[in-house]
Amino acid sequence: MASIACSQVLPDSLVLEIFLRLPYDAVLRAGLTCKQWLAVSRDEFLWRELFYSYYRIPRSVPRHPAAVSWYREFKRLFDCIPCVEVQTLREHSDQVLHLAFSHRGHRFSSCSKDCTVKLWDTERPDGTISLVHTSSMRQFNWGYTQFSQFNADDSLLLVSGVYLGPHHSSSGEIAVISLENYSLLSRVRNKPYDVFGCWLNETHLISGNLHWIGNMTSCSVLWLNKAFQDIESENVNVVKRLFKIQNINASTIRTVMVAHCRRHDNPDLLLDYEAQSLAQRQKGQRHHQPLLFDLGTSGSEEEEESRKNVDSRELEIETQVAQMMGRAHTKAPDCSLIEPSESKEGEDKTYLLFTTGSLTYSPHQIGIKLIKPDQMTTSGPVLGEERSSDEFFDSLDHVIDIHGHIIGMGLSPDHRYLYVNSRAWPAGCVISDPMSPPPIAEEIDLHVIDLKNLREERRSLRAHRAFTPNDECFFIFLDVSRDFVASGAEDKHGYIWDRHYNICLARLAHDDVVNSVAFSPADQELLLSASDDSTIKVWRSPRMVRLAQAPARPSRPRNLLPSWLSRNKNSTSAVRGSGTGKV
């Protein structure tokens, strides 16, 4: 009768007008009233309006190209975000600094100030996460572990840490651990320690070294290392110099990562919708420069003290001589990175990305070097033709300036887009002293750089905050899934944004600074966050939590009926016997 009455009184157009003025949850409840209202409550125009108003998205932004309806797209953003805390892991005894998933998603690793790297299992039948293995690095004189990465086939784990040397100086070291038996395969020195290191391919990793060659002038050398050094070093080359780059104004190369940039015919997500892209290109031509990353540091305390004792005039001359030497002995950049020839237009490319700088030690630029196929192995002469060449410095193939202090980088799963956390400098600031960089904003901007055309896409994302000053800034690791990007922050929260709509969807609470987040590559509705509160929190989407809590449906109810009756009888007896409630 209710169905007949409402259909006679209210036409669909009027019901739709009413629904347009209701919040989404009231529309869903109203749809349960009768068949007519249910049909109207699924109207595409209605959910399009609800979508844009609820999420406060500009109307110029189109619907996600993979979405099949506005209703389902609303539900995806509401129900599929990993924002429900389901487990807290407390096995670390100090600040947890970094998290990394295996490529299969069946394991993840965590690094901490407690100087251990821990391995965790994500495939338990009950859905919980459990500790599998712990390796302490204190026996190798490490201060703490800070970063880890699985190789491409998940057989090896790269672990980066801070090595405690003499006179309170610290550099870094990289260890390679076999995941078959957890044995240590090799150790590689890494300076400065926040180069972190990374895998180039399944068997080779990249490390760094730093040499001071003058006042505020240094040389960063990036090395290619074979993972199985202890086994093979007597018979074959296990290390080879990859690049040698001069640094000025006290900056250094840090935070290296490798991007395997395919032809991008089928990207995971295309951020460049036509109207917005055209407007941004026109705006960009008027207002901002290309982007770049950098992470700079000064040398050890002993080196700093010795330089302070030298006359300032001599230091100025020393700087000028070092820069003149650099200009005279630096190779030309590879122009094919920006202006590819027709014959190489469709080729896959491998980029080395790193933070660097040209104005101050504060990291404000991203450097890009093209890695050629013959550079991906340690075979051949250790230094190759460089021994006899006068051009012993490598130039950067491309540089992107961020105009702020870079504190994090992460690649999209298809390596098409680079996401960058930075804290902006004041607009129009001028750097007169490389050792006194401009003050940095508390707000963290999350930039998006398209590695196909090497320019910034869209407006930067913002919601998270940081508070430490320039000289104490630390890395806040972010991660990118197919549809989402997440980052830690110093305001005791992690954050999740939708990559297509550029909106913040969730805040993940901790008791202290959130240093790292990581999406499962097998399921983006599973997210981890690591904090200074010594915990790792496990987050799942409301949809996954609901499915996990739903009772399992027996495949053969007839066979299971006796056991169910017996189990129910036992549980009833237990409740009655305990006296805690009624049956």
Side-chain angles (χ1 to χ4, degrees):
M1 292 299 293
S3 175
I4 296 174
C6 69
S7 64
Q8 290 176 343
V9 175
L10 298 176
D12 287 357
S13 58
L14 184 54
V15 175
L16 180 61
E17 285 296 326
I18 295 173
F19 283 5
L20 284 169
R21 288 159 174 77
L22 298 178
Y24 76 92
D25 51 347
V27 170
L28 292 174
R29 287 195 300 269
L32 301 176
T33 303
C34 61
K35 291 182 179 180
Q36 180 211 14
W37 287 17
L38 177 62
V40 176
S41 72
R42 293 295 186 268
D43 183 85
E44 274 292 275
F45 176 78
L46 169 65
W47 282 100
R48 179 182 184 276
E49 296 305 304
L50 290 173
F51 184 88
Y52 280 117
S53 61
Y54 181 81
Y55 291 110
R56 300 180 181 178
I57 299 172
R59 299 294 176 125
S60 59
V61 179
R63 192 175 72 189
H64 192 295
V68 296
S69 73
W70 285 105
Y71 170 73
R72 291 192 181 182
E73 190 66 350
F74 190 107
K75 188 176 181 180
R76 178 182 73 85
L77 296 189
F78 195 88
D79 210 27
C80 299
I81 309 300
C83 58
V84 180
E85 181 183 343
V86 296
Q87 192 177 357
T88 301
L89 309 175
R90 305 181 185 277
E91 280 80 350
H92 280 292
S93 59
D94 207 336
Q95 301 171 5
V96 188
L97 302 180
H98 184 251
L99 301 166
F101 266 102
S102 64
H103 293 81
R104 281 176 46 203
H106 68 304
R107 295 278 178 91
F108 73 87
S109 55
S110 57
C111 294
S112 169
K113 282 287 186 73
D114 65 14
C115 206
T116 67
V117 56
K118 296 183 185 296
L119 285 164
W120 309 80
D121 179 17
T122 66
E123 293 186 334
R124 286 170 56 95
D126 61 0
T128 61
I129 288 173
S130 62
L131 183 63
V132 174
H133 177 77
T134 298
S135 290
S136 174
M137 304 302 291
R138 288 207 188 278
Q139 58 181 314
F140 305 112
N141 213 33
W142 283 26
Y144 55 89
T145 60
Q146 60 174 355
F147 175 83
S148 59
Q149 186 181 49
F150 291 79
N151 71 339
D153 64 2
D154 294 334
S155 62
L156 304 174
L157 184 68
L158 174 156
V159 183
S160 174
V162 174
Y163 177 85
L164 301 178
H167 310 296
H168 305 288
S169 65
S170 61
S171 60
E173 193 167 72
I174 298 171
V176 178
I177 297 175
S178 168
L179 295 179
E180 181 181 359
N181 55 14
Y182 306 115
S183 61
L184 181 66
L185 298 179
S186 58
R187 291 163 59 197
V188 176
R189 190 57 58 90
N190 187 44
K191 184 179 180 181
Y193 58 82
D194 45 2
V195 169
F196 294 122
C198 64
W199 290 105
L200 175 61
N201 50 42
E202 290 183 357
T203 55
H204 292 80
L205 59 114
I206 296 173
S207 64
N209 203 353
L210 182 67
H211 307 279
W212 286 98
I213 56 178
N215 176 45
M216 293 191 294
T217 307
S218 64
C219 172
S220 288
V221 182
L222 299 174
W223 294 92
L224 183 63
N225 308 268
K226 204 160 187 180
F228 308 96
Q229 293 191 7
D230 291 346
I231 302 172
E232 301 180 356
S233 59
E234 294 184 2
N235 302 312
V236 298
N237 289 337
V238 295
V239 62
K240 185 176 183 178
R241 193 172 76 194
L242 196 58
F243 301 116
K244 183 178 181 182
I245 298 170
Q246 187 186 40
N247 309 304
I248 60 174
N249 290 328
S251 68
T252 66
I253 285 177
R254 301 175 183 241
T255 319
V256 298
M257 62 174 55
V258 171
H260 298 285
C261 297
R262 315 303 181 192
R263 286 167 289 182
H264 300 304
D265 296 331
N266 298 295
D268 286 348
L269 182 69
L270 189 60
L271 297 180
D272 188 10
Y273 17 86
E274 295 180 1
Q276 189 174 12
S277 177
L278 177 60
Q280 286 201 340
R281 281 197 294 270
Q282 292 171 346
K283 180 181 179 182
Q285 291 171 1
R286 296 192 299 268
H287 295 293
H288 72 258
Q289 302 293 322
L291 291 167
L292 196 204
F293 289 177
D294 135 273
L295 218 76
T297 59
S298 52
S300 65
E301 294 179 5
E302 308 95 273
E303 292 169 326
E304 287 295 324
E305 289 299 322
S306 64
R307 287 201 295 276
K308 289 178 182 177
N309 296 331
V310 182
D311 179 78
S312 59
R313 177 57 183 163
E314 292 182 5
L315 292 178
E316 183 179 348
I317 296 174
E318 186 178 316
T319 300
Q320 293 175 354
V321 170
Q323 294 179 358
M324 290 173 59
M325 182 183 70
R327 287 192 293 269
H329 298 283
T330 299
K331 300 175 185 176
D334 191 332
C335 297
S336 65
L337 191 67
I338 307 301
E339 302 173 358
S341 62
E342 293 184 4
S343 60
K344 296 183 178 180
E345 182 67 34
E347 290 185 1
D348 295 345
K349 293 181 179 179
T350 300
Y351 296 154
L352 182 66
L353 312 174
F354 46 85
T355 60
T356 183
S358 60
L359 303 176
T360 173
Y361 73 85
S362 176
H364 59 278
Q365 295 176 321
I366 299 170
I368 303 178
K369 283 292 296 179
L370 180 66
I371 302 178
K372 299 178 180 178
D374 62 338
Q375 295 176 307
M376 296 189 184
T377 175
T378 55
S379 62
V382 173
L383 297 180
E385 299 176 355
E386 310 299 329
R387 289 184 181 276
S388 58
S389 173
D390 290 333
E391 297 177 330
F392 44 76
F393 289 129
D394 295 287
S395 61
L396 303 184
D397 293 331
H398 189 64
V399 172
I400 302 173
D401 205 310
I402 296 299
H403 193 75
H405 193 129
I406 298 166
I407 59 171
M409 296 195 298
L411 285 165
S412 62
D414 64 350
H415 289 201
R416 168 74 184 261
Y417 296 99
L418 178 68
Y419 287 74
V420 183
N421 269 335
S422 78
R423 297 173 61 184
W425 291 335
C429 66
V430 177
I431 300 176
S432 56
D433 180 3
M435 302 308 294
S436 299
I440 51 179
E442 288 187 353
E443 295 80 10
I444 302 175
D445 292 323
L446 186 53
H447 304 267
V448 188
I449 296 173
D450 188 344
L451 293 179
K452 184 176 182 180
N453 50 38
L454 300 177
R455 64 176 173 83
E456 185 171 8
E457 285 290 340
R458 322 257 216 100
R459 59 181 174 82
S460 59
L461 309 176
R462 177 180 287 184
H464 46 330
R465 296 166 68 85
F467 309 108
T468 53
N470 245 331
D471 56 349
E472 298 176 15
C473 257
F474 54 86
F475 227 60
I476 294 179
F477 295 95
L478 57 99
D479 197 24
V480 190
S481 70
R482 184 188 69 245
D483 294 323
F484 308 127
V485 56
S487 173
E490 289 186 53
D491 58 13
K492 303 181 182 180
H493 286 86
Y495 291 83
I496 304 175
W497 295 263
D498 183 83
R499 292 177 58 197
H500 177 76
Y501 298 109
N502 270 29
I503 55 172
C504 185
L505 296 168
R507 298 171 76 234
L508 315 174
H510 270 270
D511 293 331
D512 210 329
V513 172
V514 178
N515 297 305
S516 179
V517 292
F519 286 101
S520 167
D523 178 10
Q524 65 175 355
E525 295 181 46
L526 168 61
L527 177 73
L528 308 171
S529 58
S531 171
D532 278 0
D533 63 17
S534 304
T535 69
I536 300 169
K537 289 192 175 183
V538 184
W539 308 84
R540 294 190 184 270
S541 68
R543 185 183 75 91
M544 292 303 296
V545 171
R546 198 166 56 249
L547 291 174
Q549 294 174 347
R553 295 182 179 179
S555 57
R556 295 183 178 180
R558 289 184 180 179
N559 295 339
L560 293 175
L561 185 57
S563 61
W564 181 86
L565 290 173
S566 174
R567 193 163 58 246
N568 189 51
K569 183 178 179 181
N570 293 337
S571 61
T572 300
S573 301
V575 172
R576 285 175 175 167
S578 65
T580 57
K582 294 181 180 180
V583 179

